[in-house]
Amino acid sequence: MLCDIEEEALAKAVAALKLTNADVDGVRADVSLKAELQVAADATVARYGTVHILVNNAGVGGGGGYGRWTDASWNWVLGVNLMSVIWGIEIFGPLIEAHGEGGQIVSTASIAGLIPGSGLAYNVTKYGVVALSEGLRAILAPRAIGVSVLCPGFVRTQIMDSRRNVPQRFGALEAPPKEGPIAEFIKEFQERVSRGIDPLYVGELVREGIENDWPYIFTDTEFEPSIDDRFAAIKQGFDRIRGRQPRH
């Protein structure tokens, strides 16, 4: 069962997959709304009876840089990138537990969920998805449900065109600048995404991750040194206070 806010894209994906031997269906939903995710779950159970695998994959870029934050932009990014994962697990998790046959939950974070970047709102949501997945893994393992978090690097998606699907309830979000350092950074980022990893390859990695219950699914090693630097800095923080007696 596929779920998307974009009806045309959803119909196209379902039609293409039906050309294979897969039994595929789709349901339109704004995943940032808990009620619509519940409708999607009900449609899934009505169509297939049971649920074994949940893939939380919706994501948007944006939120505005420091000094340009708004309630609407934060609510949009938090709603799609983080709250949809929370509600997806809350709604679909019990459906996986119900049959007792085990299953897997995969949630898409980002390499930006492990190292800081310039998109702070995006980073906050992706760090949240990583923390949620790490915590749930220990909780759900005794119930035969694996939990994986996908932390991709640059993948060839439409993430830079997320605003095409901003729900009307958020109003007109402030457009990014067309000139200056921020505009140049966005242009460079768009170029990196356009040359990014093939999404089909990422899908193959996710399938392998599900089959082998990988806790972390990475798409490449480009940012491994940055992750090493992050944890080295954390270790230095402990080294600075090593041997000191806390005051009570």
Side-chain angles (χ1 to χ4, degrees):
M1 178 68 84
L2 305 184
C3 180
D4 201 325
I5 194 173
E6 225 176 338
E7 291 185 272
E8 184 177 346
L10 175 63
K12 182 178 179 181
V14 170
L17 285 168
K18 281 185 175 180
L19 297 177
T20 71
N21 62 354
D23 181 6
V24 183
D25 210 338
V27 56
R28 189 267 175 200
D30 176 351
V31 296
S32 68
L33 296 175
K34 187 177 182 179
E36 294 198 14
L37 265 178
Q38 184 62 61
V39 170
D42 294 342
T44 302
V45 172
R47 177 68 172 78
Y48 294 103
T50 57
V51 176
H52 290 80
I53 297 172
L54 167 67
V55 179
N56 295 303
N57 188 54
V60 296
Y66 171 70
R68 295 171 41 242
W69 292 341
T70 64
D71 289 350
S73 62
W74 268 100
N75 289 338
W76 176 50
V77 175
L78 285 168
V80 177
N81 290 5
L82 180 57
M83 295 310 300
S84 73
V85 177
I86 293 171
W87 299 143
I89 292 170
E90 179 179 307
I91 292 169
F92 284 89
L95 299 179
I96 300 175
E97 286 190 64
H99 49 65
E101 299 170 359
Q104 195 81 15
I105 294 172
V106 182
S107 299
T108 300
S110 167
I111 204 69
L114 293 167
I115 54 176
S118 58
L120 296 181
Y122 186 80
N123 278 119
V124 167
T125 61
K126 296 307 183 178
Y127 267 69
V129 172
V130 170
L132 180 63
S133 300
E134 289 176 337
L136 273 176
R137 185 170 174 83
I139 293 170
L140 295 183
R143 309 177 199 186
I145 300 175
V147 179
S148 304
V149 61
L150 171 63
C151 296
F154 287 102
V155 179
R156 201 163 60 246
T157 69
Q158 296 189 73
I159 187 71
M160 299 303 291
D161 190 25
S162 303
R163 289 169 180 266
R164 73 190 187 280
N165 287 325
V166 177
Q168 290 185 351
R169 69 180 184 277
F170 293 112
L173 301 183
E174 179 186 358
K178 295 183 178 180
E179 297 180 349
I182 296 177
E184 289 299 317
F185 171 80
I186 292 174
K187 181 180 178 181
E188 180 182 345
F189 203 91
Q190 287 174 325
E191 291 175 353
R192 287 297 311 273
V193 170
S194 69
R195 303 191 308 269
I197 297 168
D198 185 345
L200 292 178
Y201 171 72
V202 179
E204 293 172 358
L205 290 174
V206 172
R207 174 193 54 76
E208 189 175 355
I210 291 172
E211 291 177 347
N212 294 283
D213 188 25
W214 292 350
Y216 304 95
I217 304 172
F218 295 104
T219 56
D220 56 272
T221 60
E222 178 182 354
F223 296 95
E224 185 178 3
S226 298
I227 293 176
D228 288 341
D229 289 344
R230 180 198 173 200
F231 284 99
I234 293 172
K235 176 69 163 52
Q236 285 178 354
F238 284 109
D239 289 341
R240 292 187 188 102
I241 55 92
R242 196 176 309 283
R244 299 188 187 185
Q245 294 298 320
R247 295 175 181 174
H248 299 286

